[in-house]
Amino acid sequence: MKILHTADWHIGKRLHKVDLSQDFDLFIDWLREYLKKNPVDILLLSGDVFDFSNPSSESRNQYYRSLIKLKTFQLKIIITGGNHDSPSVLEAPKEILNQLDIHVIGQMPEAFEDCLIPVPSAQNTELVIAAIPYLRSKNLQRQFSAECHENKQAAVKESIAYHFQEAAKLAKKNYPHLPLVAMGHLFATGASVSESERDIQIGNLAGLEASHFGEDYSYIALGHIHKPQRLQAETPIFYSGSPIPLSFSERRNEKRILILDTEKSYEPKGISIPKFRDLVLIKGTLEEIKTKLVSIENNHPLKTLIEIELHEAEFSASKTYELEQLIESFNQPNCEIVKHKVIFKNKSEIERGISSVESQISDFTPKEVFQKKLEGIDETEDTKLELMSAFEEILDELNRSEE
């Protein structure tokens, strides 16, 4: 049996206000061409289908169009919710999708048996998928009883581990002797992250060790981290990564899908996804930036997106103005400057007040803004950790209230 592992589609994503829907459509077109020559039996999508919990009608249409295109290959599709997804949005068409052999688990079911999906072959059941979505606070409260922050952190980890271990226990009881594959959407210790991943769990401190998953899984298909990678563990535990770059910090990442052939091994083979556009970060003095901008060429189907960071030693309003004029007159074919930032190394406090370009509020996530606020208060580190924990619980509640 062949399994395709993907995750973090983030349909509806914009990168500095640039719509990435074309990027995603090109990925689906490429994936269809791959499947024509390399058929698979199961496609696993491990969370973050959408970029927003309340996706636009255009994003929903793109999602359904993509599923229809992939279903022409007669494969079973299993989808779990991520921290960006609204469980109710994902599960709204659940009954209809089930008839198409598309299984959606947007939130953890009350009964652990309901997240176990047996996969039949022509003769009998071949393996079992434990489709565990992103675990929210209400799921974790089953074992969440610690009072202080340190114990709370440990309790979150143990609660997440409990879900994986309990699912494995039930699978071994109900489907003895069958291989077991898990899906998850979480942060695991040792994973390399980029700036486009939003923190998950309380304080982003719930990173699981490989041992937390137990020893009963043949393969663990993770989502949430956008860079493809393997965790250091005896069990094959992999992040497939996102299929397209979602931030400039991912511009050098090779994007992949992962393919398992269970008749041979549960170690997957990485299949490179072609690059559909370039993301270019240019740093330097004004003269260096001018030289680098002229040398940019576009060899990909979509427009090249460019970020600029001007670095100068001394504050200069004229250089800031000249940079803005340079950006305004930039007309390189099929290229666009989407963001610029000015950094003066020796800028005085007064001059910092004059120029707000260096640190705009839009450059920061809500958590980063709150962290900066915490830096200015006279409290202990433990208190600050508790405040951050409470802040992220509020963010989680606000995201879920959008449903």
Side-chain angles (χ1 to χ4, degrees):
M1 187 162 283
K2 290 187 178 180
I3 302 172
L4 190 159
H5 170 199
T6 181
D8 296 283
W9 283 7
H10 287 272
I11 297 172
K13 172 70 176 179
R14 289 178 174 269
L15 180 53
H16 299 318
K17 300 183 180 179
V18 175
D19 185 358
L20 299 183
S21 60
Q22 286 183 291
D23 306 59
F24 183 75
D25 278 340
L26 287 173
F27 159 65
I28 293 296
D29 291 343
W30 169 83
L31 185 56
R32 290 179 66 199
E33 291 302 314
Y34 175 82
L35 291 173
K36 285 179 185 177
K37 301 173 184 176
N38 306 276
V40 302
D41 302 291
I42 314 168
L43 185 148
L44 305 180
L45 171 50
S46 297
D48 281 353
V49 176
F50 295 105
D51 196 54
F52 295 102
S53 59
N54 186 20
S56 66
S57 59
E58 291 84 0
S59 296
R60 297 181 201 217
N61 287 339
Q62 188 174 35
Y63 168 55
Y64 296 128
R65 286 198 312 271
S66 300
L67 293 182
I68 291 168
K69 289 177 180 179
L70 294 174
K71 276 304 296 179
T72 60
F73 298 98
Q74 304 302 312
L75 70 173
K76 179 187 284 289
I77 298 176
I78 303 174
I79 300 168
T80 53
N83 57 301
H84 285 232
D85 296 315
S86 158
S88 62
V89 167
L90 282 187
E91 294 189 351
K94 185 173 183 175
E95 299 304 320
I96 295 174
L97 293 178
N98 280 348
Q99 297 302 312
L100 300 172
D101 204 14
I102 300 173
H103 303 266
V104 179
I105 298 183
Q107 59 188 333
M108 191 67 193
E110 288 298 320
F112 279 82
E113 292 92 337
D114 293 336
C115 75
L116 298 178
I117 302 173
V119 180
S121 66
Q123 285 80 29
N124 47 38
T125 302
E126 288 285 328
L127 56 82
V128 178
I129 307 293
I132 299 176
Y134 169 71
L135 297 170
R136 301 178 184 276
S137 297
K138 63 181 180 181
N139 307 123
L140 303 178
Q141 285 167 358
R142 295 180 181 183
Q143 287 76 39
F144 200 101
S145 58
E147 292 299 327
C148 74
H149 183 85
E150 183 179 353
N151 289 337
K152 188 183 292 184
Q153 176 186 338
V156 170
K157 292 182 181 182
E158 291 302 322
S159 184
I160 297 173
Y162 169 81
H163 284 76
F164 281 90
Q165 292 170 14
E166 188 68 14
K169 186 190 302 181
L170 286 170
K172 291 300 178 183
K173 176 184 175 183
N174 297 339
Y175 306 95
H177 313 303
L178 287 183
L180 180 60
V181 171
M183 300 171 68
H185 193 87
L186 48 81
F187 174 75
T189 301
S192 173
V193 303
S194 72
E195 67 185 28
S196 61
E197 287 115 11
R198 295 181 192 167
D199 292 327
I200 63 171
Q201 308 304 354
I202 295 174
N204 198 23
L205 297 173
L208 291 199
E209 303 287 344
S211 59
H212 282 116
F213 295 105
E215 299 178 353
D216 293 317
Y217 292 106
S218 298
Y219 179 82
I220 300 176
L222 295 181
H224 181 63
I225 305 302
H226 299 164
K227 181 180 180 181
Q229 56 197 284
R230 188 195 204 281
L231 297 186
Q232 294 297 318
E234 189 171 330
T235 300
I237 305 175
F238 280 82
Y239 286 100
S240 67
S242 59
I244 60 173
L246 301 172
S247 75
F248 276 79
S249 65
E250 298 174 32
R251 66 191 182 278
R252 294 194 180 97
N253 291 357
E254 182 185 33
K255 297 301 182 179
R256 300 177 186 170
I257 56 170
L258 299 176
I259 303 292
L260 290 80
D261 186 345
T262 62
E263 292 184 7
K264 297 178 179 178
S265 169
Y266 281 88
E267 289 287 340
K269 178 182 178 182
I271 307 297
S272 296
I273 301 169
K275 185 183 284 190
F276 307 118
R277 76 160 86 235
D278 258 336
L279 302 180
V280 178
L281 176 61
I282 295 177
K283 296 182 180 181
T285 64
L286 188 59
E287 292 306 314
E288 289 170 339
I289 288 170
K290 288 178 181 178
T291 301
K292 292 175 181 177
L293 277 177
V294 172
S295 66
I296 291 177
E297 294 181 357
N298 188 335
N299 299 311
H300 300 288
L302 300 179
K303 183 181 292 186
T304 294
L305 304 182
I306 304 165
E307 263 193 21
I308 292 176
E309 285 188 14
L310 173 63
H311 290 258
E312 296 281 359
E314 304 297 333
F315 175 79
S316 171
S318 63
K319 286 187 177 179
T320 301
Y321 176 75
E322 194 173 344
L323 175 65
E324 291 171 354
Q325 293 297 108
L326 178 65
I327 292 170
E328 190 174 331
S329 61
F330 180 73
N331 62 354
Q332 202 83 343
N334 215 19
C335 297
E336 180 182 354
I337 298 172
V338 294
K339 183 181 177 183
H340 69 282
K341 186 176 184 180
V342 181
I343 300 172
F344 295 115
K345 184 178 179 181
N346 301 325
K347 191 164 61 172
S348 70
E349 289 301 316
I350 294 176
E351 289 163 342
R352 287 181 190 278
I354 293 173
S355 174
S356 61
V357 180
E358 181 178 345
S359 297
Q360 300 175 12
I361 193 76
S362 60
D363 292 341
F364 302 106
T365 64
K367 180 186 171 184
E368 288 170 337
V369 173
F370 193 71
Q371 281 179 323
K372 288 183 178 295
K373 179 66 176 176
L374 288 181
E375 290 171 5
I377 67 173
D378 185 19
E379 293 289 351
T380 65
E381 287 304 312
D382 287 343
T383 300
K384 289 181 180 181
L385 287 171
E386 286 290 340
L387 288 170
M388 181 56 71
S389 170
F391 178 76
E392 293 202 351
E393 287 191 40
I394 292 168
L395 277 183
D396 185 53
E397 288 293 330
L398 286 172
N399 287 333
R400 283 193 280 123
S401 70
E402 293 178 6
E403 301 169 21

